[in-house]
Amino acid sequence: MPCWRQRRFIVQLVSLAPFTVLLYEYLITFDREVQYAWDRKLTWATSVFFLNRYLSIFEALAALVSVPSPGDYFVCVVISRIVDTTTAMQYVVWAVFAGLRVYAISEGSKTIASLVVFLALIPPTTINIISAAFTVYFVEAEEPLPVPICFKGGSLTDRDALSRKDI
């Protein structure tokens, strides 16, 4: 069974992979973004485009920063809340985007577009309610974990799980 350093390294690599792919995609499409989006008038569609594009990279970066386990409880809570907020905001952007698409293909039906937006907003609402119910724990370095850990859990039994010897 791998030691904690190997596991931590694997977690860091697994967290780095999606960020790297997303960053690569941003870099290879940035010239087209400048060409097609920056010179246009700011509309709902372009606003949704920019929010979708940059919230994704910000959320991936916040998730990546959370992996090395921040050094204190306050930083742990702040990073956890940033990740939760950007995730929920992405769902809102996707809901609005879906509404715009439905509005366009339904020949301008505001009723159908509004229904789609309303139904698409159910996941971020649920995420926020559930996320608010969880507590952010910060466990100081102790055996068998020689580094601090930041995690979210529903009860202290989640923290007790960290004291298992197989971690």
Side-chain angles (χ1 to χ4, degrees), residues 7-119:
R7 288 182 183 190
R8 185 172 178 81
F9 182 67
I10 290 169
V11 168
Q12 289 172 332
L13 289 179
V14 167
S15 299
L16 183 62
F19 177 76
T20 304
V21 171
L22 186 63
L23 184 62
Y24 174 74
E25 189 273 332
Y26 276 52
L27 292 175
I28 64 172
T29 59
F30 184 73
D31 60 332
R32 284 175 273 175
E33 175 189 339
V34 170
Q35 180 181 359
Y36 297 117
W38 284 17
D39 291 337
R40 289 183 175 241
K41 185 176 114 180
L42 193 61
T43 63
W44 274 97
T46 55
S47 298
V48 169
F49 168 78
F50 284 122
L51 282 172
N52 184 50
R53 187 157 168 94
Y54 291 101
L55 275 175
S56 298
I57 195 82
F58 184 72
E59 192 262 338
L61 184 60
L64 184 64
V65 167
S66 70
V67 171
S69 295
D72 64 28
Y73 180 74
F74 177 75
V75 174
C76 175
V77 170
V78 168
I79 289 175
S80 176
R81 297 300 181 222
I82 287 172
V83 170
D84 291 346
T85 303
T86 54
T87 300
M89 287 174 64
Q90 282 183 303
Y91 276 103
V92 172
V93 168
W94 298 334
V96 171
F97 183 72
L100 286 172
R101 291 180 72 182
V102 168
Y103 181 78
I105 63 173
S106 67
E107 299 173 359
S109 173
K110 292 180 182 178
T111 305
I112 296 173
S114 298
L115 179 63
V116 167
V117 170
F118 172 75
L119 293 174

